[in-house]
Structures are given as structure tokens and as C-alpha cells.
Amino acid sequence: GQQVMQIPQYQHVQEGEDFTTYCNSSTTLSNIQWYKQRPGGHPVFLIQLVKSGEVKKQKRLTFQFGEAKKNSSLHITATQTTDVGTYFCNSGNTGKLIFGQGTTLQVKP
Amino acid sequence: DTGVSQNPRHKITKRGQNVTFRCDPISEHNRLYWYRQTLGQGPEFLTYFQNEAQLEKSRLLSDRFSAERPKGSFSTLEIQRTEQGDSAMYLCASSLPGQYYGYTFGSGTRLTVV
């Protein structure tokens, strides 16, 4: 799989604030997948982006794939305590996904 | 199918003992993956199968680790002569073949080596 770098590693926000995590690659990606892992839980597949410049929304979550297909972002509007967890981005052209450390989001009520 | 099932959920073993974990993937998924995760880290790739064929095994994996998927359905992961450093959550995931399908993870088996 193709490894991507994700920033920030940690983010603490007040409930109601927005949150963004970014994924960057030095090479063009075929696709990008996003996963969420709640504390004590297992990774859960959120979404996949394939097309250049693609934007997808899931309620308060907005996912973008860059025009050059080298970066992606996940933006959460008006965070809630249920958004707490670690968000991973991944890309894979063949075989397996390689997970980085992700971005861990803490939300203060 | 209700998802990916892993057994047992928890395993405590003494150092030096062998342990075996089982994973039952979603039935129509012919790809199956094993990952290991320690606190504060992302899942670390161990190995994966397409049907019964083991296509790749991490070079970081010692010879004490072996995985099988004999009939292309469930899989087992065995750790021989466990060490304290093997303590981790072992996650299994399955997917349809190809890069454009998301993984479905099981709840994992938490191994504690004492």
C-alpha cells in the first residue's frame, strides 16, 4: 500500500468547534480511504474518495480529495463528544493498507 | 452476516505458551487481513490472504507467528512461545478484492502475556 502522512497527530477542541485533519503524499494516490476508531474500539470504514477534486459529505463530516490526488482532508463541523476517536487515512494500490498513527481528536464538553 | 467475528475477545497467557486466535470474515469477502495494535499506535500489518493463499507476510513478523486460512473462509493466527512484547490487540479485517473496497474489522482479540 501507499503510505500517507497525516497531521496533526493530536487535536483538542471545545465541543462545537470545527476540526480538520490532513493527509499528504509525495506521490499520486489512486484512492483514499478514511477510518475512525473510537477509544477501545476497532477501526470503522467511513468513506472512499477516488476522483480528483472529489468532495463527499456525511452529515457534519466533509471529505475532500485534492486536485492532484496527493492530499486529502476530513473536516468536522461543530464537533460533538461522539466525534472523539482516532481518524486514519489510507491508500492502497495493491494488497494491504498501511496505517499511520492517525489524528486523535479529543472533544471537551 | 453480522460482520467479522474474532475469538476469543481476551486471552491471558503465561510467557512461553502458545496461543491461537480465530477470525471469521464476512462470507463473501475473499480477502482477510491480520493486524496488531498497541496503545497509541495505528494498526500494524501482519499478513493477508486472498482465499486460502497467503499473499504477504510482514518482514517484521518473527517466525513465531503463523497464520492459516485452510479453506478460504475462517483464519487462525498462532503465536508460539509468547513473549511479553506480544501483548497487544490483534485485529482481523476482511474485504472484497482490490484497492477500491473498504475493510471491515472485527472487534479484536486482546492478548496479555504475563
Side-chain angles (χ1 to χ4, degrees):
Chain A
Q2 297 166 284
Q3 193 161 5
V4 293
M5 302 303 294
Q6 196 171 349
I7 55 170
Q9 189 173 346
Y10 299 98
Q11 186 80 57
H12 294 246
V13 299
Q14 197 73 39
E15 189 173 21
E17 290 181 340
D18 292 356
F19 158 77
T20 305
T21 174
Y22 301 90
C23 279
N24 297 292
S25 171
S26 57
T27 59
T28 302
L29 302 171
S30 53
N31 64 327
I32 196 100
Q33 294 184 0
W34 286 91
Y35 291 78
K36 176 184 179 182
Q37 186 173 20
R38 294 180 186 271
H42 55 275
V44 174
F45 175 70
L46 294 178
I47 207 161
Q48 174 170 254
L49 305 172
V50 178
K51 299 176 184 175
S52 167
E54 189 170 14
V55 178
K56 288 188 177 180
K57 292 192 175 186
Q58 289 180 351
K59 297 182 181 178
R60 294 177 295 103
L61 277 60
T62 301
F63 303 84
Q64 291 189 327
F65 202 8
E67 292 290 341
K69 299 182 73 173
K70 288 185 176 182
N71 56 72
S72 180
S73 65
L74 158 58
H75 179 82
I76 303 178
T77 304
T79 54
Q80 299 176 359
T81 54
T82 53
D83 296 324
V84 163
T86 301
Y87 294 85
F88 297 97
C89 61
N90 286 288
S91 181
N93 47 3
T94 58
K96 75 289 183 186
L97 293 178
I98 301 296
F99 285 80
Q101 287 193 299
T103 296
T104 298
L105 173 64
Q106 299 274 16
V107 180
K108 299 176 211 174
Chain B
D1 271 324
T2 57
V4 177
S5 177
Q6 290 189 247
N7 288 288
R9 291 295 305 274
H10 303 274
K11 178 71 177 179
I12 300 174
T13 191
K14 291 184 178 179
R15 191 173 50 188
Q17 296 293 306
N18 299 344
V19 293
T20 300
F21 310 140
R22 176 178 170 126
C23 173
D24 288 88
I26 293 173
S27 59
E28 58 264 30
H29 287 181
N30 53 9
R31 287 236 175 135
L32 186 147
Y33 312 83
W34 285 99
Y35 287 83
R36 175 173 61 189
Q37 188 174 29
T38 53
L39 195 63
Q41 302 297 314
E44 175 191 8
F45 170 76
L46 297 179
T47 188
Y48 85 99
F49 294 83
Q50 179 153 316
N51 300 314
E52 64 275 10
Q54 187 173 19
L55 297 188
E56 189 171 343
K57 183 176 176 180
S58 170
R59 284 174 286 178
L60 300 175
L61 213 59
S62 79
D63 292 342
R64 297 184 296 106
F65 287 73
S66 63
E68 292 183 342
R69 195 183 183 196
K71 297 181 181 178
S73 55
F74 73 91
S75 176
T76 57
L77 176 68
E78 181 184 18
I79 308 174
Q80 296 182 326
R81 305 180 301 283
T82 53
E83 302 172 356
Q84 287 191 318
D86 297 331
S87 296
M89 176 70 83
Y90 289 83
L91 293 165
C92 175
S94 70
S95 75
L96 292 169
Q99 67 198 81
Y100 296 113
Y101 295 99
Y103 290 12
T104 302
F105 280 84
S107 297
T109 294
R110 180 167 295 284
L111 173 66
T112 303
V113 182
V114 297

